[in-house]
């Protein structure tokens, strides 16, 4: 895309989430979608999180991907501060293997939605693909790239041979 103003914000509660969440960034980069990645925590940096999310729409951001683990309130807190679509990615946690993160992210009371993806890497990749699909609704060239991605994925599966 010619305009490099970030369209997607990928935020995560800790730098320890980056190993997984870089996969969201990689997918967005593979579709040439301008994005930015930030560490912001619902618990450790509540004021900065609210400020960042509150200003996101006016800066041109159209989708927010929010990842957190444990008592994972980040996506819900983000959704409370913006009208932009928020996609939540539960991080796998040491204590409960991400079940805590999943429930904290997915169980939003009615009124403030978070679109919750799978725990960990599949969720990170799918959040980016869903962000691409949202952006593609009004961007035909992006829709074409998404169509090509699906076709390549399909062809790859059909090429698989079992020894
Ligand atoms: C959450 O707590 C983060 O999203 C991370 O998944 C988890 C652990 O964070 P660290 O203690 O590794 O910084 O806020």
């Amino acid at each position: 895309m010619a305009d490099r103003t970030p369209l997607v914000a990928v935020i995560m509660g800790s730098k320890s989430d980056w190993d997984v969440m870089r996969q969201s960034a990689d997918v967005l980069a593979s579709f040439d979608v301008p994005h930015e990645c930030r560490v912001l925590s619902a618990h450790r940096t509540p004021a900065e999180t609210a400020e960042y999310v509150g200003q996101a729409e006016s800066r041109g951001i159209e989708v927010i991907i929010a990842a957190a683990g444990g008592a994972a309130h980040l996506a819900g807190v983000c959704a409370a501060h913006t009208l932009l679509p928020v996609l939540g990615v539960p991080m796998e946690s040491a204590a409960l293997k991400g079940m805590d993160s999943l429930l904290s992210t997915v169980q939003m009371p009615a009124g403030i939605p978070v679109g919750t993806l799978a725990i960990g890497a599949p969720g990170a990749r799918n959040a980016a693909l869903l962000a691409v699909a949202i952006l593609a609704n009004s961007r035909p060239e992006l829709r074409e790239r998404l169509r090509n991605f699906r076709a390549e994925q399909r062809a790859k599966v059909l090429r698989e041979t079992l020894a």
Side-chain angles (χ1 to χ4, degrees):
M1 291 183 181
D3 184 355
R4 303 312 295 174
T5 304
L7 295 172
V8 180
V10 181
I11 68 179
M12 61 214 80
S14 169
K15 195 173 178 191
S16 65
D17 300 323
W18 176 235
D19 262 359
V20 172
M21 289 314 297
R22 73 166 72 240
Q23 297 188 48
S24 281
D26 290 346
V27 170
L28 293 168
S30 74
F31 281 90
D32 195 31
V33 171
H35 58 281
E36 63 186 23
C37 302
R38 290 279 304 271
V39 175
L40 284 166
S41 166
H43 310 283
R44 294 167 176 157
T45 64
E48 291 79 3
T49 299
E51 186 185 2
Y52 175 84
V53 173
Q55 293 175 353
E57 184 172 351
S58 65
R59 293 178 47 240
I61 299 287
E62 294 188 27
V63 183
I64 293 176
I65 297 174
H73 299 131
L74 182 61
V77 167
C78 289
H81 288 284
T82 184
L83 296 178
L84 295 174
V86 176
L87 307 178
V89 185
M91 292 290 93
E92 187 168 328
S93 56
L96 296 173
K97 293 280 172 214
M99 189 57 77
D100 45 353
S101 323
L102 173 64
L103 296 179
S104 306
T105 304
V106 77
Q107 286 292 59
M108 287 297 291
I112 303 292
V114 167
T116 303
L117 285 301
I119 297 170
R125 297 183 68 77
N126 276 345
L129 289 170
L130 199 48
V132 169
I134 292 168
L135 296 171
N137 280 333
S138 57
R139 294 175 175 84
E141 80 286 357
L142 201 49
R143 197 167 183 78
E144 203 46 39
R145 266 177 248 154
L146 196 51
R147 197 184 308 283
N148 291 340
F149 168 83
R150 291 282 184 98
E152 283 165 21
Q153 185 170 243
R154 174 173 174 271
K156 186 167 173 257
V157 170
L158 294 176
R159 275 198 310 271
E160 302 286 5
T161 53
L162 303 176

